[in-house]
Amino acid sequence: MAALLRGFRNLYKRCNKHVDITLVSCRSMASKTPVGFIGLGNMGTPMARNLLKHGYPVIATDVFPESCKELHDSGAQILDYPADVAERADRIITMLPSSPNVIEVYTGPNGILKKVRKGTLLIDSSTIDPSVSKEMAVAAEKMGVVYMDAPVSGGVGAASLAKLTFMVGGVEVEFNAAKELLTCMGANVVYCGQVGSGQAVKICNNMMLAIGMIGTAETMNLGIRLGLDPKLLAKILNMSSGRCWSSDTYNPVPGVMEGVPSANSYQGGFGTTLMAKDLGLAQNTATNTRIPIPLGSLAHQIYRIMCARGYANKDFSSVFQFLREEGVQ
């Protein structure tokens, strides 16, 4: 009997030393209880809509009331503040633009942690500094709730089709509870380790994405200047060793592909400002860990310049247009 009790105590400690273990099992049975969703931008709205499609009642809010209309029309309940959402839902997902936004939504005067219920599961799908994720986890733990970081990859198209990839960091015993919701919005949900690990993976991914997009834009621009048809060039690249996501799925050249921002004057998609922000996170992290990232640093500077040249609100694939215009000068 003593051995059995020791085994139970060890299991308890591994699960979560500050949150009642019964909350874990209860959450796994919560099923279609209301889910809170905060942040209804280009990514948040289709993500929340997919939760509705899977039968989850959604209680949502956004700092811009006009952003709530589409989801309200789809059947979601809209409230005024994050704290109001926290009063009514014990599973909350946030999708916000930056670290300051996350800090405000979680710890501000009308933030989640002001009225959060003990045992609530908080999932942040924003892309922010890993250190901020860790700070939010500590603040959440003091309130008796669980915080997990779960940034995404795939863009607006994947968000609409529920084909996102989620990179999850946090208490492992809570992963299945988070996965229940995340699989409604994504095709891949991967546990990465402790809080902040998801953000670390996302920062690395987006640095590679930016470098790849710039390389694709340079290549397409050079080929077009050499007289090649852009569709033919893209076709050959995509059956050759130069193939990448930016060339075969998200080509930056207008007229090469349909259904991507380059086919819509670079509207929608993943904004240049956000890419510059993510590259800044990668740069800061690389500086703090003394890791050289020469191409990542150059990509950061290119996207910062684009923001200053009128590209801030355009999709990050507009780097093709930026480089083309630079070459004309």
Side-chain angles (χ1 to χ4, degrees):
M1 178 63 72
L4 180 62
L5 289 174
R6 282 197 301 273
F8 181 83
R9 281 195 293 270
N10 290 335
L11 175 62
Y12 178 92
K13 291 176 182 178
R14 287 198 301 271
C15 287
N16 191 337
K17 61 183 178 181
H18 293 287
V19 178
D20 190 336
I21 195 169
T22 58
L23 294 173
V24 176
S25 58
C26 288
R27 182 148 45 234
S28 68
M29 295 184 292
S31 188
K32 301 301 174 66
T33 55
V35 177
F37 205 105
I38 301 169
L40 302 176
N42 288 341
M43 294 291 290
T45 294
M47 289 169 65
R49 192 187 306 116
N50 282 324
L51 287 171
L52 287 169
K53 289 179 180 177
H54 280 80
Y56 290 93
V58 172
I59 302 171
T61 191
D62 190 276
V63 67
F64 298 108
E66 62 272 17
S67 298
C68 300
K69 185 180 185 305
E70 183 178 341
L71 198 65
H72 179 263
D73 292 343
S74 296
Q77 180 182 0
I78 305 299
L79 301 180
D80 292 330
Y81 299 109
D84 300 331
V85 174
E87 266 190 314
R88 304 191 185 190
D90 60 9
R91 294 179 292 178
I92 301 172
I93 299 168
T94 51
M95 187 61 169
L96 304 162
S98 66
S99 295
N101 298 121
V102 169
I103 293 170
E104 176 68 18
V105 163
Y106 279 87
T107 65
N110 295 302
I112 292 170
L113 297 183
K114 292 298 180 182
K115 295 184 179 180
V116 71
R117 298 186 290 189
K118 186 176 180 180
T120 295
L121 175 62
L122 307 174
I123 304 172
D124 182 33
S125 288
S126 316
T127 299
I128 59 173
D129 192 311
S131 66
V132 173
S133 290
K134 293 175 183 179
E135 290 173 15
M136 295 302 99
V138 171
E141 187 177 63
K142 291 178 180 178
M143 301 299 294
V145 301
V146 176
Y147 172 99
M148 305 186 82
D149 60 305
V152 305
S153 179
V156 174
S160 298
L161 297 172
K163 292 185 177 180
L164 292 168
T165 293
F166 286 89
M167 296 150 272
V168 185
V171 182
E172 187 171 7
V173 73
E174 293 285 0
F175 176 63
N176 284 336
K179 188 175 181 179
E180 176 193 332
L181 298 178
L182 300 181
T183 50
C184 297
M185 302 176 285
N188 303 292
V189 182
V190 184
Y191 180 69
C192 301
Q194 64 184 357
V195 169
S197 299
Q199 299 294 351
V201 174
K202 177 61 186 294
I203 289 171
C204 292
N205 177 79
N206 276 23
M207 182 174 72
M208 178 181 285
L209 174 61
I211 294 169
M213 180 58 76
I214 293 169
T216 300
E218 287 184 343
T219 297
M220 295 297 296
N221 188 43
L222 176 61
I224 292 168
R225 292 296 179 89
L226 292 174
L228 297 174
D229 175 76
K231 286 188 176 181
L232 175 64
L233 176 57
K235 179 180 179 180
I236 295 172
L237 290 173
N238 291 334
M239 60 176 66
S240 304
S241 57
R243 178 183 180 182
C244 65
W245 187 84
S246 295
S247 68
D248 71 1
T249 303
Y250 211 82
N251 198 284
V253 181
V256 169
M257 295 182 68
E258 296 181 357
V260 294
S262 62
N264 188 35
S265 301
Y266 299 106
Q267 299 304 305
F270 185 61
T272 295
T273 298
L274 292 176
M275 178 56 85
K277 181 264 293 184
D278 289 356
L279 289 167
L281 294 175
Q283 182 66 73
N284 291 341
T285 303
T287 299
N288 293 336
T289 55
R290 299 182 180 180
I291 297 297
I293 53 166
L295 292 181
S297 297
L298 183 56
H300 183 211
Q301 295 307 312
I302 289 172
Y303 278 103
R304 288 183 64 190
I305 293 170
M306 287 175 64
C307 289
R309 298 277 183 87
Y311 290 85
N313 295 321
K314 293 187 177 183
D315 180 73
F316 81 108
S317 63
S318 62
V319 66
F320 170 79
Q321 186 180 55
F322 169 74
L323 293 173
R324 182 176 61 181
E325 292 177 354
E326 288 291 302
V328 172
Q329 296 177 358

